[in-house]
Structure formats: structure tokens, C-alpha cells
Amino acid sequence: MFRTALRNVFAHKARLLMTAFAVMLGVTFITGSLVYGDSLNRAAAGRATDGYERIAVDVAADADPADGGRPGNLDARTVATLAELPGVAAAAGRVDGFAAVAGRDGRLIGHGSSHQGGNFAPGADGTDPAYRFVRGSGPTGDDAIALDETTAAKGGYRVGDTVRVGTDKGAASYTLSGVFRTDGTKLPSGGSLTLFAGATAQRLFLEPGRFQNVELTAAPGTHPQELLGRVQSVLPKGTTAVTGARLAQIKANLATADSDTMSQILVGFAAVALFVATFLISNTFTMLVTRRTRELALMRAVGASRKQVRRILLTESLLVGAIASVAGLAAGTGVAALLRTLFAPADTPAAPLVLTPGTAIVSMLVGTLLPMVAAWLPIRRAMAIPPVAALSAAEPAAPARAGSLRTGIGAALALAGTAAVVYGALTTGKDARTVIGVGAALALTGAIGLIPLLSRPFVALFKPLLTRLHPVHGDLAARNTVRDPRRTGATAAALAIALTLASGLSVLGASAARYLDRATTHAFTADYLVKPAEGGRRLTPAATAPLKKLPGATLSPLDQSTGYRLAGVSSVLTGVDPATIGRLLRYDVVKGSLDCLAEGRIAVADFKAEEAGWHVGQTLPLQRQDGQRGSVTIGAIYRADEQSELMPSITAPDSLVARYDSAPHTAGILLATDGGPGRAALADVTHALGDNPALAVLDQADIRDRDSGSIGDQLNVFYALLSMALTIAALGIANTLAMSVLERRKEIGTLRALGLDRAGVTRMIRLEALLLGALGATVGTVMGVFLGWALGRTLQESVVGYELVLPWGRLALGVLIALAGALLASLWPARRAARVDIPAATTAQ
């Protein structure tokens, strides 16, 4: 049986080529996803844990000064006590915090929340083992700093240059004393690191004489676990100690979280590609088995049993899958390198690709089993044909209709799924999206089952147009498309799945982008929002006081104060200037008046009031975590989005907040100028802030781009991933047409003999491909829009102002891409059909 299966594979290698290629693409995608994730994880973990081998034990203060707690009990005396313990070779006290470095153009160097500052802690020999200086030396004075090598290169700085550095305490200029290299314990990937002298770092980031953690190096012959026991015996209250190995493990877990998420997304899209490939494989084996009905019947007639014939066919599918899987495994490793180039952060350290045995096993199993599963139903149908009937048939009988059982099941699933989706969209609750997800799966499965039934009315709808453009070729293409509804449905279904996902993502993305754009332009009426750069903790009065001196400036802080319970409800108060806030933020007041702020009352967002059952005029008892008590009165209720960064949930006059909180967290400052936003105004604001790179000055466009710009980038990535499924769907069209041409050689030869030229045959095949592409694209687009609407409905309760947006341009582009792919897929089958030998075809039996 194995020899027979092997011979059949090579005998039908051209017919199985598309199937093998589809399997190879799917395996390539899933292998690339897994290899990419493993490689990125290893690289990120390697960088995050680099250097921890030099730390035997790390002692850290429990309290976090950024949250208003005590700075901990790690002072110089504690460091000295730890240094004198037996087995301790060195003890280095560390302080770190936010430090932003400005380039020569004044712009911030680096990105994200990785703008770090620390202290240079030299030992007896004047060096710090955590840093390897390539130029200059460590900072020793208050006016000196050192920069990591990458940051210095980005800024074009050399030793002796003046560098502007901003921290939570303000901005100042320093002299660059040295440039260093360090490991992952100090410098986050892609970030910047600024070293200060010890006393300067303590003043900027903590308190004089205090440390956040102490790194202990073990003397030769001392085991870290043994040293940990000694350290724990002398630890002061409010501190903890762990070994460097344990700390490295924690850092590695944190570092791989993002790459794990991206890898899971890629695997999900790979699963979609494999699911689409299933239709191609099933269609191919259906056509192959149909073409070989006589051959299989003859094997049965000469003594082969059904099981033996079934095993031969399954072995063929296994061989095709195994060959394609090996090729996909090799290609997937190369794709992983490409994925790392496209999706991995630019600062990810170089590392070899990781192909684990688990990845190889999973890829080979998926690639070999998928063809067998997809081929099972066509083989089962073929085995149901009696050998005598198959041998007596002049031509293999193709099903003339979609199949009543298939249609009934498809209709039931489609109705049940649609009902579930509508129910989930019209109801609220945390389970609504789960209901929609289950309903979407049922509806899509039902639609796939109904596509063969839909093919006839769909083709009938477009047939008049085709016959008007090309009377003969259009009529022939329409007839050929509906000749085998089951085959047509399977081919179009693969394209429909990809278009469903693409259309749904387009609807959600466009609706979300429109909402964010409208929320920004509607609520934000100030010229600028001043806030800490990414990673900064808070604005200080000293840093922002100069803004009040700007001519014609109107401003209000957003002073967030936490720890309140109003009528037993946990709440956050945001203090604003009652005299100016109406000029800087647009409040859509539904009850009461915003003038209540000037009268010492508060204004509450509608979602907060509805959740707590509050109303205008109600006086609420107030209690703080520190024991303070009082009361506030609601003077207005306004519309707001619960996820909005600008609109507070509770707006209070700044005098009220100051009564209970002497140091609220200033999340930002709203600022308007007489002349409006512009280059000159921006320069004046930046200069008034002391040219501090730690402070970001954002106008309306900046806020809109920050909030909605990433949506477009993510959609582009998802579209690129879906292109794999579209490619496989196009291969399915090519395969279907190629098999159809092979089955219709006699018919095509007869048409040629009757006067249809090669160009006419080519046009007929291309029109068939366009009909298949249009059917799949139409079903997929309709399903995608429907699911996008349903998922969007679940957001309307929590996202005020969210509305459905149909991106007609993107939807039309998706349909055009599908049609273009179908047309390209028809090139080879059309060329093959045009070259059919007329005498040989017309005399074939």
C-alpha cells in the first residue's frame, strides 16, 4: 500500500502541488510564529538577566516613595552593616529614578518608560562593577553625569559636552564626564541611562543618605543562599532580600511578557491560515478522488478492500503533508528571521534563532495530520460508490446540487449563530463578547455550509452583466461556476474567512479611530497639555510655576487626589481651577451647572453618578484613608467616557482638593495662549518650562496621534498577517480552476473545434475566477461588517460617543484585492486551458 501510495503521489504530483504548497505555507507561518516567539523570548530574557550573576544577594526597601510611602530603612549605616557580614566582598547602595536626556535639538532621546537615572557607586578601587567605561570616567561632582554608549551616540555627545537632563525635580545642565556600557540590570532595552554622583542621585530620586536597594557581591567560596541567610538575620524592618538568581528569574518573566503576547497573536493568525488551507486540501482531494473513481473501483474489483483503498489514499495525503511540512519547517525558520526584523523592537539584542524540539514536533504533526483530516470526507464519499457503478460510468459523476443535509445544517448554524450575535450585541455584561464570539463561529460555519446554495442565485445576479459584456464567454463562465456548487462553495469559503476577519477589523479600527479623534477634538479645547514624559511620575509646582508668567496664558492643573470614599464609594477627585477650566475642557453638562465649582461644589461624570446612584444637590459624606472627614455636594453631572484620560470622573475645585491633600498628583496642566497653538507659542511654553526634556508639551494633533495612531499601525500588521490566508485562498481558486480545466478537456476541445479561440477560452476561465472571488469577497465582507457592528455595540455602554463607522474605502479595497488575487490565480489555469490540444481532447474517452 505504501508503494502504491508513493507511486500515486508522483503520478499526480502536478495536481497535488497546490495542496502541498498550501500546507507548506501554513506550516511555515506556524513554525515562524513559534520560532520567532522563542527567539525573542530568549533574547529578551538574556538581556534582562545579563549581569545578575555578579549579584549574590539584593536587598531592597519595601516602601515606594513615588506612592507617598517612606523611603525605607536602607541608609549608609545599613549598607556598612551589610558590607561587614562574613562572605560579603562588596556592598553597593543603589538609587534610581526617572531621568530624561535631551538631544542637541532639545528633543527627548529614547522612547517608552525607559528613561532611567542612577548613581555611580565606586568601590575602593574607584570603579563600579556595574558599569564599564569606554570613554572618560564616572561622575564625582554635582554638576557631572555619565551616559550609556547608545544614548551618547544618539545625542552626538562627547566627554566634556554640556547635556540637558530632566527629572521629576526639574531640569538642569550637566557636564558629561564619561560614556559607559552596562548590562540588563541597569539599562532597559531601548532606554537611556544617566549616572549621577551618589549624593546628587539621592537628592533627585529619593532622600539624602537613603538607598532603594543594596547589591551584595559574595566573596570566593560563599554560596549566595548561604549569604542570604546571614543577610536576613540583620535586615531592618521594611526591607527584603532575594538572591541574584531569583531576581534574574523575575526580570526574565517580565521581559518576555510582550513577546509572548505577540507570539500568541501570530499563532492565532497561523491557525486561521491553516483553517483556510483545509478547504483547499479538501477540495483538491475531492477532485482527485472524483477523477480517479474508475482507478479506485478497479482496485476494488481486483481484490482490494475498502480499508486498503482508504489507507492508500490517506497515506497519499500523509506523504504530501510530510513533504510539505519539512519544507515549511525550513522556510518557517527563515520567516522567523523576517518577523523579528519587522515586528521586534529595533533595540532587541541580536541572538540566534531558537528552533526547539517542541516547535519541530508541533509543526510536523500539524502539517501531516491536517491533510489527512481534510481528505477524510472526500475519501469516505468515494468509498461509498460501488465498484460496478464506478466502472460503468462514462465520466465521474459530480454532484449537481449543494446537498440538502449540508444546506439544512448550514442554515441551522447560521440562524443560531446570527441570533447569538444579535443577542450579545443588544445586551450588556461581561459575557456579551463571549456570546458574540461563539455566535460568530456558528454563523461563519453556517455561512460556509450555505455558500454552495448561495452560489446559484449569486451567479444568476451577475450573469446578465457578464453576458452583456461577453455574451458567449460570460454565459459559459456562469454555467461552469455553478456546475459543482459544493466545489464552488469550498473554494469561495476560504476567501470568505479571510475577508470576514479583514472587514471586521476594518470596521472596529475605523470606528475606534473616529471615536478617539472626536473625543480629542471635542473635549480638548485648550492649546496644549503639559504632562510628564513617558516614565515620569509627576509634575511639581516648581516646574510649572513659570507657566503662570507667560503673557496671556490661561491654565489649569489636573490635580488627582486618591484615597477618598464618598458615601462609601471609592473615588478619585481631580482638582481644577474653576475660573479657567471651562475655557480648557468642554464639559457636556446634562444636569446642573459647571458654575458649581466656583461655589465649592463638585461635578460628577454621568457613568460615576449612575453607578453610585448620585444626583445633583446630593451631599455626600467624605472620608480619607488618613482619617480626615468632611462632605461634598454635587452641583453638576456631565457626560464622560470612563476610559478618557482627559475628562475626570469627579471634578472638584482645586481649593477643595487642597483642603484634604497637600500634595496631589498633578497628572497634567491644560494651557491656552492668546495667539493659539503654533511654533512660536510652543517655543515659548517649552522655554518657560526650562527646556525640560522630562516634560512633554502636546497639542491637539499630538494627543490625537498618540491615542489613535497606534490603531492604524496594529491594523496594518494584522492585514499583513491575513495576507497569508488570502494567498492560500487564491491558491485554492487556482487549484479549483486547474482541476476544472483537467476535467473539462474534452469540453474545451469541443468549444475550440466549434470556433472558440484561445483568447476566448482564457477570458472564460478568468470570468469564472472573478465569480469565485466575488462570491467569497461578498460573503466575507457582509459577515465582517456584521461582526464589527456587534462587537462595537458592546463598547457603546462603556465608551461614550462610540459609533459604527463603515470604512467604505477599506472595504472596497479588500474586495478589489480579493478580485485581483482571483484574477492572478486564474492565469496558469487559463493558459493551460488555452493550450488544450483540439484533436486529442475531442477524441478522448
Side-chain angles (χ1 to χ4, degrees):
M1 286 189 295
F2 180 79
R3 287 195 301 270
T4 303
L6 187 63
R7 187 189 66 243
N8 287 335
V9 167
F10 285 104
H12 304 97
K13 54 182 179 294
R15 305 179 192 181
L16 292 170
L17 180 62
M18 292 292 187
T19 299
F21 191 53
V23 175
M24 189 197 75
L25 282 179
V27 173
T28 296
F29 203 165
I30 197 167
T31 301
S33 302
L34 295 174
V35 171
Y36 163 81
D38 292 338
S39 302
L40 206 60
N41 280 348
R42 180 170 296 185
R47 179 176 178 84
T49 58
D50 179 30
Y52 278 98
E53 66 276 0
R54 63 178 172 77
I55 302 174
V57 176
D58 184 84
V59 181
D62 293 339
D64 186 359
D67 293 333
R70 294 179 304 144
N73 295 322
L74 288 177
D75 53 18
R77 181 180 301 176
T78 305
V79 175
T81 300
L82 293 172
E84 294 173 357
L85 287 175
V88 175
R94 300 293 182 188
V95 179
D96 61 73
F98 173 75
V101 181
R104 294 185 182 275
D105 58 357
R107 295 183 179 180
L108 181 66
I109 297 177
H111 60 83
S113 57
S114 51
H115 310 291
Q116 298 292 318
N119 64 309
F120 178 64
D125 59 355
T127 64
D128 188 332
Y131 309 103
R132 303 176 296 279
F133 279 83
V134 295
R135 291 186 295 277
S137 59
T140 55
D142 290 344
D143 61 345
I145 61 166
L147 293 176
D148 68 273
E149 190 175 28
T150 302
T151 303
K154 288 180 180 178
Y157 289 123
R158 297 181 178 181
V159 174
D161 288 347
T162 299
V163 183
R164 191 75 174 171
V165 181
T167 67
D168 291 334
K169 298 290 180 67
S173 297
Y174 300 86
T175 299
L176 184 63
S177 67
V179 177
F180 60 86
R181 295 175 182 170
T182 187
D183 49 48
T185 64
K186 302 301 177 190
L187 179 60
S189 179
S192 63
L193 177 58
T194 307
L195 288 185
F196 300 86
T200 305
Q202 289 175 329
R203 174 175 55 82
L204 292 174
F205 304 134
L206 201 56
E207 286 185 3
R210 298 283 183 178
F211 298 95
Q212 286 168 315
N213 65 295
V214 180
E215 297 173 354
L216 302 179
T217 304
T222 303
H223 192 275
Q225 200 66 38
E226 177 186 357
L227 185 58
L228 177 63
R230 296 172 186 170
V231 169
Q232 288 176 333
S233 65
V234 299
L235 280 183
K237 185 179 179 181
T239 58
T240 55
V242 294
T243 62
R246 173 58 180 160
L247 196 58
Q249 182 181 1
I250 295 173
K251 295 291 185 180
N253 292 338
L254 294 174
T256 57
D258 291 340
S259 54
D260 281 341
T261 301
M262 188 61 188
S263 181
Q264 290 169 5
I265 292 174
L266 291 173
V267 170
F269 279 96
V272 173
L274 287 170
F275 184 58
V276 172
T278 303
F279 290 92
L280 189 157
I281 299 166
S282 180
N283 225 14
T284 300
F285 272 92
T286 297
M287 291 182 284
L288 281 177
V289 171
T290 302
R291 287 290 302 172
R292 295 165 58 191
T293 302
R294 292 183 182 179
E295 173 190 334
L296 299 176
L298 183 59
M299 294 175 65
R300 297 267 309 279
V302 297
S305 65
R306 284 188 178 183
K307 289 184 178 180
Q308 287 177 316
V309 176
R310 184 183 296 116
R311 287 172 188 170
I312 290 173
L313 294 174
L314 289 176
T315 303
E316 290 179 27
S317 64
L318 177 65
L319 289 172
V320 171
I323 295 171
S325 298
V326 172
L329 191 62
T333 306
V335 168
L338 179 62
L339 290 174
R340 188 169 58 177
T341 302
L342 295 176
F343 300 137
D347 44 50
T348 300
L353 294 175
V354 178
L355 177 59
T356 64
T359 296
I361 292 172
V362 168
S363 299
M364 289 297 297
L365 282 177
V366 169
T368 52
L369 293 180
L370 181 63
M372 295 180 66
V373 173
W376 174 260
L377 189 58
I379 294 172
R380 187 171 179 268
R381 286 199 298 262
M383 292 301 98
I385 301 175
V388 175
L391 287 172
S392 62
E395 288 288 343
R401 55 193 178 87
S404 57
L405 179 61
R406 178 193 180 106
T407 301
I409 295 175
L413 290 176
L415 289 174
T418 302
V421 171
V422 173
Y423 174 79
L426 299 181
T427 57
T428 59
K430 62 181 181 180
D431 297 329
R433 291 173 195 170
T434 302
V435 172
I436 290 176
V438 174
L442 293 175
L444 187 58
T445 304
I448 292 171
L450 287 176
I451 286 180
L453 180 67
L454 297 175
S455 63
R456 289 187 180 277
F458 182 86
V459 172
L461 179 65
F462 284 92
K463 185 176 180 179
L465 176 62
L466 295 178
T467 53
R468 178 173 298 180
L469 295 175
H470 303 284
V472 176
H473 315 108
D475 182 68
L476 290 173
R479 290 175 181 272
N480 291 330
T481 302
V482 297
R483 175 179 295 186
D484 189 341
R486 185 175 296 170
R487 178 191 302 175
T488 298
T491 305
L495 192 60
I497 294 171
L499 262 295
T500 296
L501 294 176
S503 302
L505 287 173
S506 296
V507 171
L508 287 175
S511 302
R514 173 73 64 83
Y515 157 73
L516 290 173
D517 181 68
R518 184 178 298 172
T520 301
T521 56
H522 177 77
F524 185 73
T525 56
D527 295 334
Y528 298 105
L529 171 65
V530 180
K531 60 176 299 181
E534 288 291 335
R537 293 189 177 94
R538 67 176 64 214
L539 291 167
T540 62
T544 58
L547 292 175
K548 299 179 180 179
K549 301 178 181 179
L550 280 174
T554 302
L555 59 93
S556 173
L558 296 174
D559 290 332
Q560 292 184 344
S561 184
T562 60
Y564 295 89
R565 294 193 69 83
L566 302 183
V569 178
S570 179
S571 305
V572 176
L573 269 60
T574 300
V576 300
D577 185 346
T580 61
I581 191 62
R583 161 74 174 83
L584 305 170
L585 278 182
R586 179 180 286 113
Y587 282 80
D588 293 330
V589 179
V590 293
K591 293 182 181 179
S593 171
L594 201 62
D595 294 337
C596 68
L597 297 176
E599 302 167 359
R601 291 179 290 170
I602 64 173
V604 181
D606 53 356
F607 68 86
K608 185 74 173 181
E610 182 180 354
E611 176 185 320
W614 296 341
H615 57 82
V616 172
Q618 183 177 0
T619 298
L620 307 174
L622 176 151
Q623 182 178 358
R624 287 267 290 173
Q625 290 180 348
D626 57 8
Q628 295 186 71
R629 294 179 180 272
S631 63
V632 294
T633 301
I634 300 176
I637 294 177
Y638 55 88
R639 292 190 182 94
D641 176 14
E642 191 172 356
Q643 308 300 324
S644 175
E645 181 182 347
L646 289 174
M647 295 300 296
S649 60
I650 299 178
T651 304
D654 49 9
S655 58
L656 176 64
V657 171
R659 187 187 311 166
Y660 297 99
D661 191 347
S662 60
H665 172 78
T666 303
I669 294 180
L670 300 168
L671 175 68
T673 58
D674 279 346
R679 291 185 178 181
L682 179 61
D684 291 341
V685 173
T686 303
H687 184 67
L689 292 170
D691 296 314
N692 189 348
L695 299 178
V697 182
L698 309 175
D699 60 13
Q700 191 175 86
D702 294 329
I703 297 174
R704 181 170 55 247
D705 292 343
R706 181 195 60 183
D707 292 341
S708 60
S710 61
I711 293 178
D713 295 337
Q714 292 174 359
L715 285 178
N716 290 335
V717 171
F718 292 153
Y719 292 149
L721 297 175
L722 284 173
S723 64
M724 182 69 73
L726 286 170
T727 301
I728 296 176
L731 287 176
I733 294 176
N735 209 20
T736 297
L737 293 176
M739 288 294 183
S740 178
V741 168
L742 186 63
E743 292 176 356
R744 292 154 46 197
R745 287 181 70 252
K746 185 173 182 178
E747 174 187 322
I748 293 173
T750 303
L751 291 172
R752 290 290 315 281
L754 292 175
L756 189 65
D757 58 9
R758 289 186 174 184
V761 172
T762 300
R763 189 176 296 115
M764 177 184 67
I765 299 299
R766 288 177 179 174
L767 290 175
E768 290 180 34
L770 287 176
L771 283 173
L772 286 172
L775 176 58
T778 301
V779 173
T781 301
V782 171
M783 288 290 297
V785 171
F786 175 58
L787 296 179
W789 164 81
L791 289 172
R793 285 278 307 179
T794 65
L795 300 174
Q796 291 181 343
E797 292 294 327
S798 58
V799 181
V800 178
Y802 179 93
E803 296 179 358
L804 176 68
V805 175
L806 295 180
W808 295 109
R810 287 190 178 183
L811 294 176
L813 180 61
V815 173
L816 289 176
I817 290 175
L819 294 178
L823 196 59
L824 287 174
S826 69
L827 294 180
W828 177 61
R831 184 179 180 184
R832 187 174 183 181
R835 292 186 173 184
V836 168
D837 183 76
I838 298 176
T842 53
T843 59
Q845 296 298 321

